[in-house]
């Protein structure tokens, strides 16, 4: 893969990143600044943090606006101009999106409609961070974009899964009805530096527990599979998709097709950290998918994209970041967080 694709493509352009203070959003802001964009990050700081954006201040033209995509301040956005809108706003970990399901549904649906309206008003091309969760508990492996999914509309994950499905519908309707240029990516599990330590996502959870020599929590027997994509690879995929010809609307799977069991992942983390942790199994959460693996043929063909960072390399970089952050005392988990990690019923 030619890593130079997209570099400096942003000179003279303005990009709005909703969810810009979150894990993926802040990495995307960094990349867009490198590419020469003027960047506006919008976030309600529900799960995002200014700590993620602070290192970017002074690196280029970046502005932060604290706003909710569900109820954006119309006065502030009147006459807003952007060439690109990356709509990433939405809490991604089950712990957070299940805490306020109505808000999750509104963020996915009202938030997407509001950003589509803004894209139409400003003539921007707009990206949606959809998810592999639209495939639900898949009956086909690996999952291709043509697979329509097997989602429970009534389970605890439905607010997110169905919310994202509806967001996809809204994007394609805007495209058909108004000719809005849309780009829809179905993102599979992505990990890397700046993940929250205590949001229950499996990679960060296991790394933090391993570094602390605490029991590592495994849902069920750990035979469920996931495919883990390192964040730099994912961001490269997003940038390539946004820069692709207008007729490439997606949905396009972006993820790493090498599938591992959660048990294999935990073993590798123990080896790489030299941890003394033991595994602690707990019941499988409701509707937790048993297999998850992207077919990335479409991304390879239409974007020339494939992940470059191996799981070992990605884990090394992520472990190093968590080690440093722990050493700096930035990962103090409150009792509530620990309790919630204990009862949390999902890994994303
Ligand atoms: P994250 O929770 O770190 O980031 C989400 C950001 O959105 C946070 O900064 C949060 O404060 C903000 N936000 C939430 N609701 C908002 C609202 N109503 N208005 C404004 N801001 C709001 O999660 P992430 O991993 O960075 O995920 C980013 C996007 O990518 C999400 O849309 C998520 O669904 C999608 N995604 C992520 C993954 C993954 O593995 N990380 C996988 C599939 C899809």
């Amino acid at each position: 893969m030619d890593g130079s694709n997209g570099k400096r493509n942003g000179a003279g352009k303005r990009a709005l990143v909703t969810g810009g203070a979150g894990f993926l959003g802040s990495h995307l802001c960094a990349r867009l600044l490198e590419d020469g964009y003027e960047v506006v990050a919008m976030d309600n700081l529900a799960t995002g943090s200014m700590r993620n954006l602070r290192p970017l201040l002074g690196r280029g033209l970046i502005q932060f606006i604290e706003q909710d995509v569900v109820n954006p301040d119309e006065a502030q956005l009147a006459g807003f101009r952007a060439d690109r809108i990356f709509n990433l706003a939405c809490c991604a970990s089950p712990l957070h999106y299940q805490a306020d399901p109505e808000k999750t549904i509104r963020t996915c649906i009202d938030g997407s409609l509001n950003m589509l309206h803004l894209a139409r008003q400003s003539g921007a091309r707009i990206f949606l961070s959809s998810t592999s969760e639209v495939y639900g508990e898949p009956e086909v492996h690996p999952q291709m974009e043509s697979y329509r999914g097997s989602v429970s509309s009534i389970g605890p994950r439905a607010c997110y899964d169905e919310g994202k499905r509806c967001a996809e519908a809204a994007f394609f309707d805007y495209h058909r009805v108004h000719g809005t240029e849309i780009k829809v990516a179905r993102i599979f599990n992505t990990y890397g530096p700046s993940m929250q330590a205590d949001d229950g996502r499996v990679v960060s959870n296991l790394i933090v527990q391993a570094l602390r020599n605490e029991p590592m929590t495994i849902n069920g027997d750990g035979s469920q599979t996931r495919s883990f994509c390192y964040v730099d690879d994912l961001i490269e995929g997003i940038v390539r998709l946004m820069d692709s010809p207008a007729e490439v609307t997606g949905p396009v799977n972006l993820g790493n097709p090498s599938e591992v069991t959660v048990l294999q992942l935990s073993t590798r983390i123990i080896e790489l950290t030299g941890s003394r942790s033991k595994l602690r199994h707990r019941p499988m959460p409701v509707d937790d998918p048993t297999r998850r693996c992207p077919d990335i043929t479409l991304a390879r063909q239409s974007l020339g994209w494939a992940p470059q960072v191996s799981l070992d390399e990605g884990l090394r970089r992520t472990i190093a970041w968590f080690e440093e952050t722990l050493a700096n005392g930035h990962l103090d988990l409150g009792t509530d967080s620990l309790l919630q990690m204990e009862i949390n019923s999902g890994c994303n």
Side-chain angles (χ1 to χ4, degrees):
M1 190 170 74
D2 170 13
S4 67
N5 184 321
K7 294 274 183 212
R8 308 309 297 176
N9 270 4
K13 292 195 193 127
R14 193 162 197 242
L16 170 67
V17 181
T18 76
F23 162 50
L24 297 181
S26 57
H27 281 274
L28 179 61
C29 288
R31 170 60 191 266
L32 295 174
L33 284 172
E34 249 176 62
D35 289 356
Y37 280 92
E38 175 188 344
V39 176
V40 181
M42 181 196 285
D43 205 296
N44 67 354
L45 300 179
T47 52
S49 166
M50 287 311 287
R51 196 182 290 160
N52 293 332
L53 287 179
R54 217 162 279 137
L56 305 184
L57 304 176
R59 262 203 223 170
L61 215 47
I62 180 159
Q63 183 196 349
F64 175 72
I65 45 180
E66 187 171 345
Q67 278 210 26
D68 198 306
V69 291
V70 175
N71 305 299
D73 179 342
E74 288 185 11
Q76 197 174 1
L77 292 184
F80 183 86
R81 190 193 66 74
D83 304 284
R84 304 275 197 253
I85 298 176
F86 295 86
N87 189 32
L88 275 70
C90 185
C91 303
S93 105
L95 178 67
H96 290 130
Y97 72 63
Q98 290 174 13
D100 188 348
E102 180 178 339
K103 180 70 187 209
T104 302
I105 290 172
R106 286 190 191 282
T107 299
C108 289
I109 301 174
D110 294 348
S112 290
L113 286 168
N114 287 333
M115 292 307 113
L116 282 163
H117 178 72
L118 193 62
R120 190 177 165 217
Q121 173 194 299
S122 58
R125 182 176 274 201
I126 182 167
F127 167 89
L128 172 68
S129 57
S130 185
T131 168
S132 58
E133 301 289 325
V134 301
Y135 299 123
E137 170 67 325
E139 297 128 323
V140 296
H141 296 284
Q143 290 86 54
M144 296 184 78
E145 293 83 353
S146 54
Y147 174 54
R148 292 187 178 182
S150 169
V151 173
S152 162
S153 60
I154 58 171
R157 301 172 79 97
C159 57
Y160 182 78
D161 303 3
E162 296 287 22
K164 290 286 187 177
R165 288 172 71 91
C166 194
E168 288 194 8
F171 266 65
F172 279 86
D173 280 332
Y174 252 71
H175 178 59
R176 272 186 295 266
V177 176
H178 304 297
T180 308
E181 284 190 17
I182 60 161
K183 303 284 176 183
V184 176
R186 291 181 179 156
I187 300 172
F188 285 64
N189 291 61
T190 301
Y191 69 100
S194 308
M195 291 185 88
Q196 273 188 43
D198 57 350
D199 72 1
R201 288 195 255 186
V202 64
V203 175
S204 44
N205 232 18
L206 292 177
I207 289 177
V208 172
Q209 289 169 330
L211 288 173
R212 293 182 158 159
N213 295 306
E214 289 170 358
M216 291 165 69
T217 328
I218 305 288
N219 291 335
D221 63 5
S223 62
Q224 66 275 27
T225 69
R226 295 290 183 273
S227 52
F228 297 104
C229 186
Y230 187 66
V231 62
D232 290 357
D233 281 333
L234 193 267
I235 298 298
E236 178 67 28
I238 292 177
V239 167
R240 285 181 183 231
L241 176 57
M242 194 53 136
D243 287 342
S244 62
E247 62 273 17
V248 182
T249 57
V252 180
N253 288 339
L254 294 179
N256 193 319
S258 59
E259 194 177 358
V260 293
T261 67
V262 170
L263 214 50
Q264 287 167 331
L265 173 73
S266 57
T267 308
R268 212 53 209 115
I269 290 175
I270 290 175
E271 286 164 0
L272 290 170
T273 52
S275 176
R276 299 189 302 280
S277 293
K278 299 273 177 277
L279 303 186
R280 184 171 61 192
H281 294 266
R282 64 181 173 189
M284 274 297 271
V286 178
D287 290 340
D288 203 42
T290 45
R291 282 189 76 185
R292 206 28 93 59
C293 180
D295 182 315
I296 60 162
T297 309
L298 183 60
R300 283 184 200 278
Q301 288 172 350
S302 59
L303 311 177
W305 176 86
Q308 304 294 299
V309 181
S310 68
L311 182 62
D312 264 19
E313 180 52 29
L315 285 177
R316 273 194 203 96
R317 294 185 202 172
T318 311
I319 289 167
W321 182 84
F322 273 110
E323 259 173 338
E324 194 187 323
T325 312
L326 277 169
N328 292 335
H330 287 153
L331 290 186
D332 294 330
L333 304 182
T335 319
D336 282 354
S337 305
L338 287 170
L339 185 68
Q340 282 175 322
M341 274 168 78
E342 207 46 43
I343 59 170
N344 168 38
S345 58
C347 71
N348 204 353

